[in-house]
Amino acid sequence: MNIQDSHKIKLIMKLRQAGINDITVLSALERTPREIFIPENFIDQAYEDTALPIGMGQTISQPYIVALMTQSLEINDRDKVLEIGTGSGYQGSILARLCRRLYTIERHKPLLEVAEHKFAEQGLRNITAMVGDGMKGWPQQAPFDKIIVTAGALEKPPQDLLDQLKIGGLMVIPVGNRMHNQILKLYRKESDDLFSVKDLCPVRFVPLLPDIAKTKEYTDDDYAQLPD
Ligand code: SAH
C-alpha cells in the first residue's frame, strides 16, 4: 500500500467517527481520487481534512463537509442532481457516482475546463457541465430531485433554485455572512411555496457571486494554481 492509500483510509475512518455513516457515501469518497483535483505542490495534503486552493481564488472543500453535504441529500441512482459551483470537480465526481445524472454550473471558465477533463479521466459519463450563473439554476433541465450549492448565499437561497426543486426534493446550501455566521442549511420542498429547513453546522465557503467571471480579472497566480 502506498502512503496516499494509507492517508485515504485514515481519512475515511475519521469521517465515520465524525458521523458519516452512509456506506454508499463513504464508498464514493473512497473511489474518488482527491489528489487529481489539487495543484501539484499540495498533493501531500490530498487526504488531510482541509480545504485547499484550486486557482481563480477558489477552494476545494474540506472532505468532511463534502461528505456531510452528500450524505444530507440522500442521493439514489434515480436522482437528477444540480450542483452550483463545479470548482475542481471533486464534489461533482462523488455525486456522479451516486446519482443518475448530474448537471453542474461554474462561473469561472478555466475551472470548468479543468473539471471536465477530470470527469473524463475518471470515466464519468453522466455529467453535463456548463459555464454560467448558477444563481439562475438550469431551467431547461428543471425540476431536480436534489440541489447542492457549494458557495455561500448571503441571506437566503436564490429563488430560481428553490423554484427548480421537485416537491419532496432536498437542497443543501451555506447561508449567511461569510466571516461570521455562515450555516450549512438543508431545505426540503414540502409544496410549491412551503419549505422545511434544518441547520447542519457552521461553515466557511467562498461567496456565491452573480454572473460569469471576467477573464481579464485573473492574475498569473490564479492560473498557476490550476491543477494540471
Ligand atoms: N464543489 C467544488 C467547490 C468549489 S468552491 C469542488 O468540489 O471543488 C465554490 C465554487 O463556486 C467556486 O469555483 C466559484 O467560482 C463557484 N461559484 C460561485 N458563485 C457561482 C455562481 N453564481 N454560479 C456558478 N458557480 C459559482
Side-chain angles (χ1 to χ4, degrees):
M1 195 197 305
N2 66 31
I3 200 139
Q4 217 148 47
D5 285 343
S6 72
H7 286 174
K8 186 190 262 189
I9 290 168
K10 273 197 199 133
L11 175 63
I12 301 285
M13 280 167 49
K14 193 179 158 191
L15 298 179
R16 287 186 72 142
Q17 281 162 4
I20 308 301
N21 43 31
D22 184 329
I23 300 295
T24 64
V25 172
L26 289 168
S27 153
L29 266 120
E30 200 177 337
R31 286 177 288 139
T32 305
R34 193 165 184 258
E35 66 275 15
I36 71 170
F37 299 94
I38 56 185
E40 185 80 49
N41 51 329
F42 284 97
I43 287 210
D44 56 339
Q45 295 177 51
Y47 292 100
E48 283 177 24
D49 195 17
T50 52
L52 294 169
I54 53 171
M56 293 23 217
Q58 307 304 317
T59 52
I60 179 172
S61 310
Q62 175 193 353
Y64 171 68
I65 297 297
V66 171
L68 181 68
M69 290 174 91
T70 310
Q71 175 166 279
S72 72
L73 288 176
E74 300 170 23
I75 295 174
N76 66 60
D77 58 10
R78 296 177 305 282
D79 280 346
K80 186 175 179 182
V81 180
L82 175 66
E83 179 191 30
I84 308 306
T86 318
S88 66
Y90 176 64
Q91 170 79 73
S93 301
I94 291 166
L95 296 168
R97 288 184 161 88
L98 298 168
C99 70
R100 178 167 60 82
R101 179 124 221 125
L102 175 70
Y103 294 86
T104 182
I105 308 177
E106 171 56 54
R107 64 187 293 279
H108 287 286
K109 187 160 183 269
L111 289 180
L112 193 81
E113 285 171 355
V114 174
E116 286 194 287
H117 279 123
K118 303 298 172 188
F119 297 148
E121 195 178 321
Q122 298 169 87
L124 297 171
R125 277 181 270 274
N126 58 338
I127 305 176
T128 312
M130 75 162 174
V131 175
D133 177 1
M135 290 169 89
K136 300 185 177 124
W138 197 320
Q140 299 84 350
Q141 293 300 339
F144 298 95
D145 298 289
K146 312 283 161 69
I147 299 180
I148 177 170
V149 183
T150 67
L154 268 186
E155 285 172 14
K156 53 184 172 51
Q159 188 59 43
D160 284 335
L161 297 182
L162 293 170
D163 289 345
Q164 290 174 30
L165 196 58
K166 265 187 205 168
I167 293 180
L170 294 170
M171 170 158 69
V172 67
I173 179 170
V175 180
N177 180 306
R178 172 164 133 86
M179 285 307 146
H180 304 294
N181 54 356
Q182 221 181 47
I183 305 284
L184 192 60
K185 291 183 180 270
L186 181 67
Y187 286 76
R188 183 186 296 273
K189 189 163 181 168
E190 308 287 359
S191 71
D192 271 334
D193 49 12
L194 184 68
F195 291 82
S196 59
V197 190
K198 194 168 138 191
D199 288 359
L200 299 182
C201 67
V203 281
R204 261 182 100 160
F205 274 82
V206 297
L208 184 66
L209 298 172
D211 305 325
I212 293 172
K214 294 183 185 62
T215 316
K216 63 175 187 308
E217 288 166 13
Y218 298 142
T219 64
D220 287 349
D221 256 14
D222 285 331
Y223 285 103
Q225 286 191 327
L226 277 182
D228 287 333

